[in-house]
Coordinates of all heavy atoms in Angstrom, one line a residue:
M4 N 11.6 106.8 -13.2 CA 11.1 106.4 -14.6 C 11.9 105.3 -15.2 O 13.1 105.4 -15.2 CB 11.1 107.7 -15.5 CG 9.9 108.5 -15.3 SD 9.2 109.1 -16.8 CE 10.3 110.3 -17.4
P5 N 11.3 104.3 -15.6 CA 12.0 103.2 -16.2 C 12.5 103.5 -17.6 O 11.9 104.4 -18.3 CB 11.0 102.1 -16.3 CG 9.7 102.7 -16.3 CD 9.8 104.1 -15.6
T6 N 13.5 102.8 -18.0 CA 14.1 103.0 -19.3 C 13.6 101.8 -20.2 O 13.7 100.7 -19.8 CB 15.6 103.0 -19.4 OG1 16.1 103.9 -18.4 CG2 16.1 103.3 -20.7
Y7 N 12.9 102.1 -21.2 CA 12.4 101.1 -22.1 C 13.3 100.9 -23.3 O 13.8 101.9 -23.8 CB 11.0 101.4 -22.6 CG 10.0 101.3 -21.5 CD1 9.4 102.4 -21.0 CD2 9.7 100.1 -20.9 CE1 8.5 102.4 -19.9 CE2 8.7 100.0 -19.9 CZ 8.2 101.1 -19.4 OH 7.3 101.0 -18.4
Q8 N 13.5 99.7 -23.7 CA 14.4 99.5 -24.9 C 13.5 99.1 -26.0 O 12.6 98.3 -25.9 CB 15.3 98.3 -24.6 CG 16.8 98.7 -24.9 CD 17.7 97.5 -24.7 OE1 17.5 96.8 -23.7 NE2 18.6 97.3 -25.6
Y9 N 13.9 99.7 -27.2 CA 13.1 99.4 -28.4 C 14.0 98.9 -29.5 O 15.2 99.2 -29.5 CB 12.4 100.7 -28.9 CG 11.2 101.1 -28.0 CD1 11.5 102.0 -26.9 CD2 10.0 100.6 -28.2 CE1 10.4 102.4 -26.1 CE2 8.9 101.0 -27.4 CZ 9.2 101.9 -26.3 OH 8.1 102.3 -25.5
R10 N 13.4 98.2 -30.4 CA 14.2 97.8 -31.6 C 13.3 97.9 -32.8 O 12.1 97.6 -32.8 CB 14.7 96.4 -31.5 CG 15.6 96.0 -32.6 CD 16.0 94.5 -32.6 NE 14.7 93.8 -32.7 CZ 14.5 92.7 -32.0 NH1 15.4 92.3 -31.2 NH2 13.4 92.1 -32.1
C11 N 13.9 98.5 -33.8 CA 13.1 98.6 -35.1 C 13.1 97.3 -35.8 O 14.1 96.6 -35.9 CB 13.8 99.7 -35.9 SG 13.0 99.8 -37.5
L12 N 11.9 96.9 -36.2 CA 11.8 95.7 -36.9 C 12.2 95.8 -38.4 O 12.4 94.8 -39.0 CB 10.3 95.2 -36.9 CG 9.7 94.9 -35.5 CD1 8.2 94.7 -35.6 CD2 10.4 93.8 -34.9
D13 N 12.3 97.0 -38.8 CA 12.7 97.2 -40.2 C 14.3 97.3 -40.4 O 14.9 96.6 -41.2 CB 12.1 98.4 -40.8 CG 10.6 98.2 -41.0 OD1 10.2 97.0 -41.0 OD2 9.9 99.2 -41.3
C14 N 14.9 98.2 -39.6 CA 16.3 98.4 -39.7 C 17.1 97.9 -38.6 O 18.3 98.1 -38.5 CB 16.6 99.9 -40.0 SG 16.3 100.9 -38.5
S15 N 16.5 97.3 -37.6 CA 17.2 96.7 -36.4 C 17.8 97.7 -35.6 O 18.7 97.4 -34.8 CB 18.2 95.6 -36.9 OG 17.5 94.6 -37.5
Y16 N 17.5 98.9 -35.7 CA 18.0 100.0 -34.9 C 17.5 99.8 -33.5 O 16.3 99.7 -33.3 CB 17.7 101.4 -35.5 CG 18.1 102.5 -34.6 CD1 19.4 102.8 -34.4 CD2 17.1 103.3 -33.9 CE1 19.8 103.9 -33.7 CE2 17.5 104.4 -33.1 CZ 18.8 104.7 -33.0 OH 19.2 105.7 -32.2
E17 N 18.4 99.8 -32.5 CA 18.0 99.7 -31.1 C 18.2 101.0 -30.4 O 19.2 101.7 -30.5 CB 18.8 98.6 -30.4 CG 18.4 97.2 -30.9 CD 19.1 96.1 -30.2 OE1 19.6 96.4 -29.1 OE2 19.1 95.0 -30.7
F18 N 17.3 101.4 -29.5 CA 17.4 102.6 -28.8 C 16.7 102.5 -27.5 O 15.8 101.6 -27.3 CB 16.9 103.8 -29.6 CG 15.4 103.7 -30.0 CD1 14.5 104.4 -29.3 CD2 15.0 102.9 -31.0 CE1 13.1 104.3 -29.6 CE2 13.7 102.8 -31.4 CZ 12.7 103.5 -30.7
E19 N 17.0 103.4 -26.6 CA 16.3 103.4 -25.3 C 15.5 104.7 -25.1 O 15.9 105.7 -25.7 CB 17.4 103.3 -24.1 CG 18.0 101.9 -24.1 CD 19.1 101.8 -23.0 OE1 19.4 102.9 -22.4 OE2 19.5 100.7 -22.7
E20 N 14.5 104.6 -24.3 CA 13.6 105.7 -24.2 C 13.2 105.8 -22.7 O 12.7 104.8 -22.2 CB 12.4 105.6 -25.1 CG 11.6 106.9 -25.2 CD 12.3 107.9 -26.1 OE1 13.1 107.5 -26.9 OE2 12.0 109.1 -25.9
F21 N 13.3 107.0 -22.1 CA 12.8 107.2 -20.8 C 11.3 107.4 -20.9 O 10.9 108.3 -21.6 CB 13.4 108.4 -20.1 CG 14.8 108.1 -19.5 CD1 15.9 108.5 -20.0 CD2 14.8 107.2 -18.3 CE1 17.2 108.2 -19.4 CE2 16.0 106.9 -17.7 CZ 17.2 107.4 -18.3
Q22 N 10.5 106.6 -20.2 CA 9.1 106.7 -20.3 C 8.5 106.4 -19.0 O 9.0 105.6 -18.2 CB 8.5 105.8 -21.4 CG 8.7 106.2 -22.8 CD 7.9 105.3 -23.7 OE1 8.2 104.2 -23.9 NE2 6.9 105.9 -24.3
A23 N 7.4 107.0 -18.8 CA 6.6 106.7 -17.6 C 5.9 105.4 -17.9 O 5.7 105.0 -19.1 CB 5.5 107.7 -17.3
I24 N 5.5 104.7 -16.9 CA 4.8 103.4 -17.1 C 3.5 103.6 -17.8 O 3.1 102.7 -18.6 CB 4.6 102.7 -15.8 CG1 6.0 102.3 -15.2 CG2 3.7 101.4 -15.9 CD1 5.9 101.8 -13.8
S25 N 2.9 104.7 -17.6 CA 1.6 105.0 -18.2 C 1.7 105.4 -19.6 O 0.7 105.5 -20.3 CB 0.8 106.0 -17.4 OG 1.6 107.2 -17.2
D26 N 2.9 105.7 -20.1 CA 3.1 106.2 -21.4 C 2.9 105.1 -22.4 O 3.2 103.9 -22.1 CB 4.5 106.8 -21.7 CG 4.6 108.2 -21.2 OD1 3.6 108.7 -20.8 OD2 5.7 108.7 -21.2
P27 N 2.3 105.4 -23.6 CA 2.1 104.3 -24.6 C 3.5 104.0 -25.2 O 4.3 104.8 -25.3 CB 1.2 105.0 -25.6 CG 1.4 106.4 -25.4 CD 1.7 106.7 -24.0
P28 N 3.6 102.7 -25.6 CA 4.9 102.3 -26.1 C 5.1 103.0 -27.5 O 4.2 103.2 -28.3 CB 4.8 100.8 -26.3 CG 3.3 100.5 -26.2 CD 2.7 101.6 -25.4
L29 N 6.4 103.2 -27.8 CA 6.7 103.8 -29.1 C 6.6 102.7 -30.2 O 6.9 101.6 -30.0 CB 8.1 104.3 -29.1 CG 8.4 105.5 -28.1 CD1 9.9 105.8 -28.2 CD2 7.6 106.7 -28.4
T30 N 6.1 103.2 -31.3 CA 5.9 102.2 -32.4 C 6.6 102.6 -33.7 O 6.5 101.9 -34.7 CB 4.4 102.0 -32.6 OG1 3.8 103.2 -32.9 CG2 3.7 101.3 -31.5
V31 N 7.2 103.8 -33.6 CA 7.8 104.3 -34.8 C 9.3 104.5 -34.6 O 9.7 105.1 -33.7 CB 7.1 105.7 -35.2 CG1 7.8 106.2 -36.5 CG2 5.6 105.5 -35.4
C32 N 10.0 103.9 -35.6 CA 11.5 104.0 -35.5 C 11.9 105.5 -35.8 O 11.4 106.1 -36.8 CB 12.1 103.1 -36.5 SG 13.8 103.2 -36.8
P33 N 12.8 106.1 -35.0 CA 13.2 107.4 -35.3 C 14.2 107.5 -36.5 O 14.5 108.6 -37.0 CB 14.0 107.8 -34.0 CG 14.4 106.5 -33.4 CD 13.3 105.5 -33.8
V34 N 14.7 106.4 -36.9 CA 15.6 106.4 -38.0 C 14.9 106.2 -39.4 O 15.0 107.0 -40.3 CB 16.7 105.3 -37.9 CG1 17.6 105.2 -39.1 CG2 17.5 105.6 -36.6
C35 N 14.1 105.2 -39.5 CA 13.5 104.9 -40.7 C 12.0 104.9 -40.7 O 11.3 104.7 -41.7 CB 13.9 103.5 -41.2 SG 13.1 102.1 -40.3
H36 N 11.5 105.3 -39.5 CA 10.0 105.4 -39.3 C 9.3 104.1 -39.5 O 8.1 104.0 -39.9 CB 9.4 106.5 -40.2 CG 9.9 107.9 -39.9 ND1 9.6 108.6 -38.8 CD2 10.9 108.6 -40.6 CE1 10.3 109.7 -38.8 NE2 11.1 109.7 -39.9
G37 N 10.1 103.0 -39.4 CA 9.5 101.7 -39.5 C 8.8 101.3 -38.1 O 8.8 102.1 -37.2
K38 N 8.4 100.1 -38.1 CA 7.7 99.6 -36.9 C 8.7 99.2 -35.8 O 9.7 98.4 -36.2 CB 6.8 98.5 -37.2 CG 5.7 98.3 -36.2 CD 4.8 97.1 -36.6 CE 3.8 96.9 -35.4 NZ 3.4 95.5 -35.4
T39 N 8.5 99.6 -34.6 CA 9.4 99.1 -33.5 C 8.7 98.3 -32.6 O 7.4 98.3 -32.5 CB 10.0 100.4 -32.8 OG1 8.9 101.0 -32.1 CG2 10.7 101.3 -33.7
E40 N 9.4 97.5 -31.8 CA 8.8 96.7 -30.8 C 9.6 96.9 -29.5 O 10.8 97.2 -29.5 CB 8.8 95.2 -31.1 CG 10.2 94.6 -31.2 CD 10.1 93.1 -31.3 OE1 9.0 92.6 -31.5 OE2 11.2 92.5 -31.2
R41 N 8.9 96.9 -28.4 CA 9.6 97.1 -27.1 C 10.2 95.8 -26.7 O 9.7 94.7 -26.7 CB 8.5 97.5 -26.1 CG 9.2 98.0 -24.8 CD 8.3 99.1 -24.2 NE 7.3 98.5 -23.4 CZ 6.3 99.2 -22.7 NH1 6.3 100.5 -22.8 NH2 5.4 98.6 -22.1
I42 N 11.5 96.0 -26.3 CA 12.2 94.8 -25.8 C 12.0 94.8 -24.3 O 12.3 95.8 -23.6 CB 13.7 95.0 -26.1 CG1 13.9 95.1 -27.6 CG2 14.5 93.8 -25.6 CD1 15.3 95.5 -28.0
I43 N 11.6 93.7 -23.8 CA 11.3 93.6 -22.4 C 12.6 93.3 -21.6 O 13.2 92.3 -21.9 CB 10.2 92.5 -22.1 CG1 8.9 92.9 -22.8 CG2 10.0 92.3 -20.6 CD1 8.0 91.7 -23.0
T44 N 12.9 94.2 -20.7 CA 14.1 93.9 -19.9 C 13.7 93.8 -18.5 O 12.6 93.9 -18.1 CB 15.1 95.1 -20.1 OG1 14.4 96.3 -19.6 CG2 15.6 95.3 -21.5
G45 N 14.7 93.5 -17.7 CA 14.3 93.4 -16.2 C 14.8 92.0 -15.7 O 14.2 91.6 -14.7
G46 N 15.7 91.4 -16.3 CA 16.3 90.2 -15.7 C 15.4 89.0 -15.9 O 15.6 88.0 -15.2
A47 N 14.5 89.0 -16.8 CA 13.7 87.8 -17.0 C 14.3 86.9 -18.0 O 13.8 85.8 -18.2 CB 12.3 88.3 -17.5
G48 N 15.4 87.3 -18.6 CA 16.1 86.5 -19.5 C 15.4 86.4 -20.9 O 15.5 85.4 -21.6
L49 N 14.6 87.4 -21.1 CA 13.8 87.4 -22.4 C 14.3 88.5 -23.3 O 13.5 89.1 -24.0 CB 12.3 87.6 -22.0 CG 11.6 86.3 -21.6 CD1 10.2 86.7 -21.1 CD2 11.5 85.4 -22.8
I50 N 15.6 88.8 -23.3 CA 16.1 89.8 -24.2 C 16.5 89.3 -25.5 O 17.3 88.4 -25.6 CB 17.3 90.5 -23.5 CG1 16.9 90.9 -22.1 CG2 17.7 91.7 -24.3 CD1 18.1 91.3 -21.3
F51 N 15.8 89.8 -26.5 CA 16.1 89.3 -27.9 C 17.0 90.4 -28.5 O 16.6 91.5 -28.8 CB 14.9 89.2 -28.7 CG 13.9 88.2 -28.1 CD1 12.7 88.7 -27.6 CD2 14.2 86.9 -28.0 CE1 11.8 87.8 -27.0 CE2 13.3 86.0 -27.4 CZ 12.1 86.5 -26.9
K52 N 18.2 90.1 -28.7 CA 19.2 91.1 -29.2 C 19.6 90.7 -30.6 O 19.9 89.5 -30.9 CB 20.4 91.2 -28.3 CG 20.1 92.1 -27.1 CD 21.3 93.0 -26.8 CE 20.9 94.1 -25.9 NZ 21.9 95.2 -25.8
G53 N 19.8 91.7 -31.4 CA 20.4 91.5 -32.7 C 19.5 90.6 -33.5 O 18.3 90.6 -33.4
S54 N 20.1 89.8 -34.4 CA 19.4 88.9 -35.2 C 19.1 87.6 -34.3 O 19.7 87.4 -33.4 CB 20.1 88.5 -36.4 OG 21.3 87.7 -36.0
G55 N 18.1 86.9 -34.7 CA 17.7 85.7 -34.0 C 16.3 85.7 -33.5 O 15.8 84.7 -33.0
F56 N 15.7 86.9 -33.5 CA 14.3 86.8 -33.1 C 13.4 86.1 -34.0 O 12.4 85.5 -33.6 CB 13.7 88.3 -32.9 CG 13.6 89.1 -34.1 CD1 12.4 89.1 -34.8 CD2 14.7 89.8 -34.6 CE1 12.3 89.8 -36.0 CE2 14.5 90.5 -35.8 CZ 13.3 90.5 -36.5
Y57 N 13.8 86.0 -35.3 CA 13.0 85.2 -36.2 C 13.3 83.7 -36.0 O 12.5 82.8 -36.4 CB 13.3 85.6 -37.7 CG 14.8 85.7 -38.0 CD1 15.4 84.5 -38.4 CD2 15.4 86.9 -38.0 CE1 16.8 84.6 -38.8 CE2 16.8 86.9 -38.3 CZ 17.4 85.8 -38.7 OH 18.8 85.9 -39.0
I58 N 14.4 83.4 -35.3 CA 14.7 82.0 -35.0 C 13.7 81.5 -34.0 O 13.1 80.4 -34.1 CB 16.1 81.8 -34.5 CG1 17.1 82.1 -35.7 CG2 16.3 80.4 -33.9 CD1 18.5 82.1 -35.3
T59 N 13.4 82.3 -33.0 CA 12.4 81.9 -32.0 C 11.1 81.8 -32.7 O 10.3 80.9 -32.3 CB 12.3 82.9 -30.9 OG1 12.2 84.2 -31.4 CG2 13.6 82.9 -30.0
D60 N 10.8 82.6 -33.7 CA 9.6 82.5 -34.4 C 9.5 81.1 -35.0 O 8.5 80.5 -35.0 CB 9.5 83.6 -35.4 CG 8.1 84.0 -35.6 OD1 7.5 84.7 -34.8 OD2 7.5 83.7 -36.7
H61 N 10.6 80.8 -35.7 CA 10.6 79.5 -36.4 C 10.4 78.3 -35.4 O 9.7 77.4 -35.6 CB 11.9 79.3 -37.2 CG 12.1 78.0 -37.7 ND1 11.4 77.5 -38.8 CD2 13.0 77.0 -37.3 CE1 11.8 76.2 -39.0 NE2 12.8 75.9 -38.2
R62 N 11.1 78.5 -34.3 CA 11.1 77.4 -33.3 C 9.7 77.3 -32.7 O 9.2 76.2 -32.4 CB 12.1 77.7 -32.2 CG 12.4 76.5 -31.3 CD 13.4 76.8 -30.3 NE 13.0 77.9 -29.4 CZ 13.8 78.4 -28.5 NH1 15.1 78.1 -28.5 NH2 13.4 79.4 -27.7
S63 N 9.0 78.4 -32.5 CA 7.7 78.3 -31.9 C 6.7 77.6 -32.8 O 5.9 76.8 -32.4 CB 7.2 79.7 -31.6 OG 6.8 80.4 -32.8
S64 N 6.9 77.8 -34.1 CA 6.0 77.1 -35.1 C 6.3 75.6 -35.1 O 5.4 74.8 -35.2 CB 6.1 77.7 -36.5 OG 7.3 77.4 -37.0
Q65 N 7.5 75.3 -35.0 CA 7.9 73.9 -34.9 C 7.4 73.3 -33.6 O 6.9 72.2 -33.6 CB 9.5 73.8 -35.0 CG 9.9 72.4 -35.3 CD 11.4 72.3 -35.4 OE1 12.1 73.3 -35.1 NE2 12.0 71.2 -35.7
Y66 N 7.5 74.1 -32.6 CA 7.1 73.6 -31.3 C 5.6 73.3 -31.3 O 5.1 72.3 -30.8 CB 7.4 74.6 -30.2 CG 6.8 74.3 -28.9 CD1 7.4 73.3 -28.0 CD2 5.7 75.0 -28.4 CE1 6.8 73.0 -26.8 CE2 5.1 74.7 -27.2 CZ 5.7 73.7 -26.4 OH 5.1 73.4 -25.2
K67 N 4.9 74.2 -32.0 CA 3.4 74.0 -32.1 C 3.1 72.8 -32.8 O 2.2 72.0 -32.4 CB 2.8 75.2 -32.8 CG 2.1 76.2 -31.9 CD 1.4 77.2 -32.7 CE 2.1 78.5 -32.7 NZ 1.5 79.5 -33.5
A68 N 3.8 72.5 -33.9 CA 3.6 71.3 -34.7 C 3.9 70.1 -33.8 O 3.1 69.1 -33.8 CB 4.4 71.3 -35.9
E69 N 5.0 70.2 -33.1 CA 5.4 69.1 -32.2 C 4.3 68.8 -31.1 O 4.0 67.7 -30.8 CB 6.7 69.4 -31.6 CG 7.5 68.2 -31.2 CD 8.2 67.5 -32.4 OE1 8.3 68.2 -33.4 OE2 8.5 66.4 -32.2
A70 N 3.8 69.9 -30.6 CA 2.9 69.8 -29.5 C 1.6 69.2 -30.0 O 0.9 68.4 -29.4 CB 2.6 71.2 -28.9
A71 N 1.2 69.6 -31.3 CA 0.0 69.1 -31.8 C 0.1 67.6 -32.1 O -0.9 66.9 -31.9 CB -0.3 69.8 -33.2
K72 N 1.3 67.2 -32.5 CA 1.5 65.8 -32.8 C 1.3 65.0 -31.5 O 0.7 64.0 -31.4 CB 2.9 65.6 -33.4 CG 3.0 64.4 -34.2 CD 4.2 64.4 -35.1 CE 5.5 64.6 -34.4 NZ 6.7 64.6 -35.2
E73 N 2.0 65.5 -30.5 CA 1.9 64.8 -29.2 C 0.5 64.8 -28.6 O 0.1 63.8 -28.1 CB 2.9 65.5 -28.2 CG 3.8 64.6 -27.5 CD 4.9 65.3 -26.9 OE1 5.9 65.5 -27.5 OE2 4.8 65.6 -25.7
N74 N -0.2 65.9 -28.8 CA -1.5 66.0 -28.3 C -2.4 65.0 -29.0 O -3.3 64.4 -28.4 CB -2.0 67.4 -28.6 CG -3.2 67.8 -27.7 OD1 -3.3 67.2 -26.6 ND2 -3.9 68.8 -28.1
K75 N -2.2 64.7 -30.3 CA -3.0 63.8 -31.0 C -2.8 62.4 -30.5 O -3.8 61.6 -30.3 CB -2.6 63.9 -32.5 CG -3.8 63.7 -33.4 CD -3.3 63.7 -34.8 CE -3.9 64.9 -35.6 NZ -3.5 64.9 -37.0
S76 N -1.5 62.1 -30.2 CA -1.3 60.7 -29.8 C -1.7 60.4 -28.4 O -2.0 59.3 -28.0 CB 0.2 60.4 -29.9 OG 0.9 61.2 -29.0
T77 N -1.8 61.5 -27.6 CA -2.2 61.2 -26.2 C -3.6 61.7 -25.9 O -4.1 61.6 -24.8 CB -1.2 62.0 -25.2 OG1 -1.2 63.3 -25.6 CG2 0.2 61.4 -25.3
A78 N -4.3 62.1 -26.9 CA -5.6 62.6 -26.7 C -6.6 61.5 -26.3 O -7.4 61.6 -25.4 CB -6.1 63.3 -27.9
K79 N -6.5 60.4 -27.1 CA -7.4 59.3 -26.8 C -6.7 58.1 -26.4 O -6.0 57.4 -27.2 CB -8.3 59.0 -28.1 CG -9.3 60.1 -28.3 CD -10.3 59.6 -29.3 CE -11.5 60.6 -29.5 NZ -12.4 60.2 -30.6
P80 N -6.8 57.7 -25.2 CA -6.1 56.5 -24.7 C -6.9 55.3 -25.3 O -8.2 55.3 -25.2 CB -6.2 56.5 -23.2 CG -7.3 57.5 -22.9 CD -7.3 58.5 -24.1
S81 N -6.2 54.4 -25.9 CA -6.9 53.3 -26.6 C -7.4 52.2 -25.6 O -6.9 51.1 -25.7 CB -6.0 52.7 -27.7 OG -4.8 52.3 -27.1
K82 N -8.3 52.6 -24.8 CA -8.8 51.6 -23.9 C -10.3 51.5 -24.2 O -11.1 52.3 -24.0 CB -8.7 52.2 -22.5 CG -7.5 51.8 -21.8 CD -7.6 52.1 -20.3 CE -6.3 52.6 -19.7 NZ -6.5 53.3 -18.4
H83 N -10.6 50.4 -24.9 CA -12.1 50.2 -25.2 C -12.6 49.1 -24.2 O -12.6 47.9 -24.5 CB -12.3 49.8 -26.6 CG -11.2 49.0 -27.2 ND1 -10.2 49.6 -28.0 CD2 -11.0 47.7 -27.2 CE1 -9.4 48.6 -28.4 NE2 -9.8 47.5 -27.9
K84 N -12.9 49.6 -23.1 CA -13.5 48.7 -22.1 C -15.0 48.9 -22.0 O -15.4 50.0 -21.7 CB -12.9 49.0 -20.7 CG -12.9 47.7 -19.8 CD -12.8 47.9 -18.4 CE -11.7 48.8 -17.8 NZ -11.6 48.9 -16.4
S85 N -15.7 47.9 -22.4 CA -17.2 48.1 -22.3 C -17.6 47.8 -20.9 O -17.1 46.9 -20.3 CB -17.8 47.1 -23.3 OG -17.6 45.8 -22.9
P86 N -18.6 48.5 -20.4 CA -19.0 48.3 -19.1 C -19.8 47.0 -18.9 O -19.9 46.6 -17.8 CB -19.9 49.5 -18.8 CG -20.3 50.0 -20.2 CD -19.2 49.6 -21.1
K87 N -20.2 46.4 -20.0 CA -21.0 45.2 -19.9 C -20.1 44.0 -19.5 O -20.6 43.0 -19.0 CB -21.7 44.9 -21.2 CG -22.9 45.8 -21.4 CD -23.5 45.5 -22.7 CE -24.5 46.6 -23.1 NZ -24.9 46.5 -24.5
E88 N -18.8 44.2 -19.7 CA -17.9 43.1 -19.6 C -17.7 42.7 -18.1 O -17.2 41.7 -17.8 CB -16.6 43.5 -20.2 CG -15.7 42.3 -20.6 CD -15.2 42.4 -22.0 OE1 -15.3 43.5 -22.6 OE2 -14.7 41.4 -22.5
S89 N -18.1 43.6 -17.2 CA -17.8 43.4 -15.8 C -18.9 42.6 -15.1 O -19.0 42.5 -13.9 CB -17.7 44.8 -15.1 OG -18.9 45.5 -15.2
S90 N -19.8 42.0 -16.0 CA -20.9 41.2 -15.4 C -20.3 39.9 -14.9 O -19.5 39.2 -15.7 CB -22.0 41.0 -16.4 OG -21.5 40.3 -17.5
K91 N -20.7 39.5 -13.8 CA -20.1 38.2 -13.2 C -20.8 37.0 -13.9 O -21.9 37.1 -14.2 CB -20.4 38.2 -11.7 CG -19.4 39.1 -10.9 CD -19.6 38.8 -9.5 CE -19.9 40.1 -8.7 NZ -20.4 39.9 -7.4
P92 N -20.0 35.9 -14.0 CA -20.7 34.7 -14.4 C -21.6 34.2 -13.4 O -21.3 34.3 -12.2 CB -19.5 33.7 -14.7 CG -18.4 34.3 -13.8 CD -18.6 35.8 -13.8
P93 N -22.7 33.7 -13.8 CA -23.7 33.3 -12.8 C -23.2 32.1 -12.0 O -22.8 31.1 -12.5 CB -24.9 32.9 -13.6 CG -24.4 32.6 -15.0 CD -23.2 33.5 -15.1
T94 N -23.2 32.2 -10.7 CA -22.8 31.1 -9.8 C -24.0 30.4 -9.4 O -24.7 30.8 -8.5 CB -22.0 31.7 -8.6 OG1 -22.8 32.7 -8.0 CG2 -20.7 32.3 -9.0
T95 N -24.1 29.2 -10.0 CA -25.3 28.4 -9.7 C -24.9 27.3 -8.8 O -24.8 26.1 -9.2 CB -26.0 27.9 -10.9 OG1 -25.0 27.3 -11.7 CG2 -26.7 29.0 -11.7
S96 N -24.6 27.6 -7.6 CA -24.3 26.6 -6.6 C -25.5 26.3 -5.8 O -26.1 27.2 -5.2 CB -23.1 27.0 -5.7 OG -23.3 28.2 -5.1
P97 N -25.9 25.1 -5.7 CA -27.1 24.8 -4.9 C -26.8 25.0 -3.4 O -25.8 24.6 -2.9 CB -27.3 23.3 -5.2 CG -26.0 22.7 -5.7 CD -25.3 23.9 -6.3
A98 N -27.8 25.6 -2.9 CA -27.6 25.9 -1.5 C -27.9 24.7 -0.7 O -29.0 24.1 -0.7 CB -28.6 27.0 -1.1
T99 N -26.8 24.2 -0.1 CA -27.0 23.0 0.7 C -27.2 23.3 2.2 O -26.3 23.8 2.8 CB -25.7 22.1 0.5 OG1 -24.6 22.9 0.8 CG2 -25.6 21.5 -0.9
S100 N -28.4 23.1 2.5 CA -28.7 23.3 3.9 C -29.1 22.0 4.6 O -30.0 21.4 4.2 CB -29.8 24.4 4.1 OG -30.9 23.9 3.4
S101 N -28.4 21.6 5.5 CA -28.7 20.3 6.2 C -29.2 20.5 7.6 O -28.9 21.5 8.2 CB -27.4 19.4 6.2 OG -26.4 20.0 6.8
Ligands
ZN11 ZN1 14.2 101.6 -38.3

């Protein structure tokens, strides 16, 4: 049975819980009965400990704005090439057959 780590979003209380994989995640803090979230462990490097999870939140919104900006500038390449421009100039060379 894996050990799941939880953290309370209200009081930042962290605790571990033995649960089966099929068990539903805990959502209630045993201390203040606030909302908890499951901390994903397992060596993925995604452990948010202590304070700082709101920093990632801030960063993600900034990243989104940044991405939107970039997306705007690269969305339309300013190439206005009309297909009519590729018409060849008429070559009126008289056919000289001797
Ligand atoms: Zn709590």
